[in-house]
Amino acid sequence: MVVVVQFKILSDIMITILCAVLVFQSTVVVSMRGYAISIQPVSTAAAATSTVATAMKLSTVAKMLVDNAIQEFQSNNINNTITHLQRAEQELLSSIAIVGNNHNNSSASVSTSMAQLLTILLLVKNIVQSLDSGDYGKGQKYLNLAEQELGRNILGVSSSLNPQTITSTSNATFNNSNDNYSFLFSTYTNTKYGIKLQYPYNWVIEDDDYATGAAGQAGIQIASFYLPDVNNGLPFFRIGTDDLTKEFPNLQKVSINQYLHRSLAHKNSTGFPGFNLIESDTSNRRLADNLAYIVVWTYTHPTYGMRKSIEIATILGSRGYFVDYTADTKNFSKFLPVAEKMIESFQKTK
């Protein structure tokens, strides 16, 4: 994906960055609506680690602001979307300034981080411009790209850091369990569809909102969440909804068994090469505190190889709601507790 940026925009951004570097020559304090990060001068020996850790904290705050922008965009609150993006710009400028201010650090990781941050900043600028001009389609594309780059940036920088060193925010909670996969969780809210759930702060949110299923616009994939790490099985989680009056036009009321059978009818070797059904049941699972079906299967992805999936869905009123989690078979169990927490936190808000 090549992003074309006008020369004037690029020059304005570079001027802003240079000014920010001058401002942040010494101690930097960022305070922003529930976010507070204090950066103290460090010794030369610890400069590299401190710089990367601090930049990551600021990038994490920027990602959470972009996450909020995505949620506001999905709820058609464009002004709030722009407000979050403008705050994310300030966090990115702070992060760029801190990384750039460390003249003694020439490590490849810092250079890569700087390049990524500049790319993200340009993308955020383009989102705001697109939304200001009313081009929401382009804005959505840039929004997803910025989120993806922030996810990759945090993943790359955090590989050598303890998650507990990250400053938590007002909408994130840390799971203090003793396992090796504790995460900070943030809250995803979609007022358009009246749902919310918890998700790991470092997982990318994809603004989907597109049709699924066989009945035209009856099925909608609302959003997806994933850790952009192929080495850890690329764990992927999605949420969606089905209009059951369109999926079952001849039925006044749809049972959970009928909903399950409709789901199984669409799961085959055409959509999932090498499809192998492991489990399907309607008696032991719940979603949003309501009886749900479960389907577990494996298939062979043409790029990522053998993967395993679990889908859970329920019926609320005239709509069905589904969530599913997928990862490669070797890492499926590793992230299953995370997926289960997301499933358990799924709520219908209206």
Side-chain angles (χ1 to χ4, degrees):
M1 177 67 69
V2 178
V3 180
V4 180
V5 183
Q6 294 181 351
F7 177 76
K8 183 179 184 302
I9 298 172
L10 180 59
S11 62
D12 289 345
I13 293 172
M14 293 310 298
I15 290 171
T16 304
I17 293 171
L18 290 173
C19 291
V21 170
L22 293 174
V23 172
F24 289 90
Q25 282 293 321
S26 56
T27 301
V28 179
V29 176
V30 179
S31 179
M32 181 175 296
R33 199 180 180 185
Y35 309 98
I37 299 172
S38 179
I39 303 161
Q40 301 297 332
V42 295
S43 64
T44 302
T49 301
S50 178
T51 297
V52 173
T54 300
M56 180 188 169
K57 292 179 182 180
L58 292 169
S59 296
T60 299
V61 174
K63 182 185 179 299
M64 290 182 175
L65 287 165
V66 172
D67 288 1
N68 290 338
I70 289 174
Q71 294 167 61
E72 294 290 352
F73 181 81
Q74 288 190 314
S75 300
N76 297 319
N77 296 323
I78 303 304
N79 289 337
N80 290 345
T81 303
I82 292 174
T83 297
H84 287 303
L85 291 169
Q86 290 171 337
R87 290 171 176 166
E89 285 185 40
Q90 297 305 311
E91 295 294 332
L92 289 166
L93 285 169
S94 299
S95 188
I96 289 168
I98 291 165
V99 174
N101 192 39
N102 187 13
H103 305 296
N104 296 321
N105 189 2
S106 58
S107 68
S109 63
V110 172
S111 298
T112 300
S113 179
M114 174 68 85
Q116 287 179 324
L117 291 171
L118 286 168
T119 299
I120 297 163
L121 181 60
L122 292 173
L123 287 168
V124 171
K125 290 280 188 182
N126 278 324
I127 301 167
V128 174
Q129 288 184 332
S130 298
L131 297 182
D132 277 337
S133 65
D135 193 340
Y136 298 155
K138 183 183 291 185
Q140 182 185 36
K141 291 178 181 178
Y142 283 133
L143 193 54
N144 283 334
L145 284 172
E147 174 75 1
Q148 291 167 17
E149 289 300 319
L150 276 164
R152 294 189 185 102
N153 176 261
I154 291 172
L155 178 67
V157 176
S158 66
S159 59
S160 61
L161 298 176
N162 187 318
Q164 295 190 53
T165 65
I166 303 168
T167 301
S168 62
T169 67
S170 57
N171 69 336
T173 57
F174 187 75
N175 176 13
N176 288 311
S177 62
N178 293 322
D179 60 64
N180 294 324
Y181 304 104
S182 298
F183 289 89
L184 282 162
F185 281 83
S186 294
T187 300
Y188 168 85
T189 303
N190 189 305
T191 58
K192 179 179 178 180
Y193 293 102
I195 58 175
K196 70 176 182 178
L197 82 163
Q198 300 288 308
Y199 69 97
Y201 85 97
N202 60 340
W203 284 33
V204 171
I205 301 179
E206 191 86 9
D207 174 17
D208 296 324
D209 205 4
Y210 62 79
T212 64
Q217 296 293 324
I220 297 292
Q221 181 165 313
I222 298 170
S224 53
F225 310 79
Y226 64 93
L227 181 68
D229 187 356
V230 176
N231 294 328
N232 270 305
L234 197 66
F236 181 94
F237 190 98
R238 69 169 185 155
I239 56 177
T241 183
D242 294 308
D243 185 343
L244 299 183
T245 62
K246 294 181 179 179
E247 293 277 3
F248 301 90
N250 298 321
L251 295 178
Q252 289 186 340
K253 185 176 181 179
V254 180
S255 71
I256 193 67
N257 282 296
Q258 289 169 322
Y259 194 22
L260 168 62
H261 292 154
R262 165 232 170 253
S263 175
L264 290 173
H266 295 312
K267 290 177 173 57
N268 50 50
S269 293
T270 301
F272 299 95
F275 174 80
N276 177 46
L277 180 64
I278 297 174
E279 177 188 358
S280 66
D281 187 57
T282 60
S283 60
N284 296 320
R285 290 303 302 247
R286 301 186 74 82
L287 182 66
D289 200 28
N290 205 53
L291 183 65
Y293 75 66
I294 179 174
V295 180
V296 183
W297 72 99
T298 60
Y299 68 100
T300 303
H301 191 281
T303 302
Y304 301 114
M306 185 68 72
R307 294 179 70 78
K308 186 175 181 179
S309 298
I310 178 172
E311 179 177 276
I312 297 174
T314 192
I315 298 173
L316 297 170
S318 63
R319 302 196 70 89
Y321 293 88
F322 61 86
V323 299
D324 60 46
Y325 158 63
T326 301
D328 72 14
T329 52
K330 294 180 180 179
N331 290 280
F332 183 85
S333 296
K334 178 191 295 186
F335 292 97
L336 183 58
V338 177
E340 289 289 359
K341 179 176 175 64
M342 297 175 74
I343 293 168
E344 290 171 5
S345 70
F346 182 90
Q347 296 179 36
K348 190 74 174 71
T349 59
K350 68 176 182 180

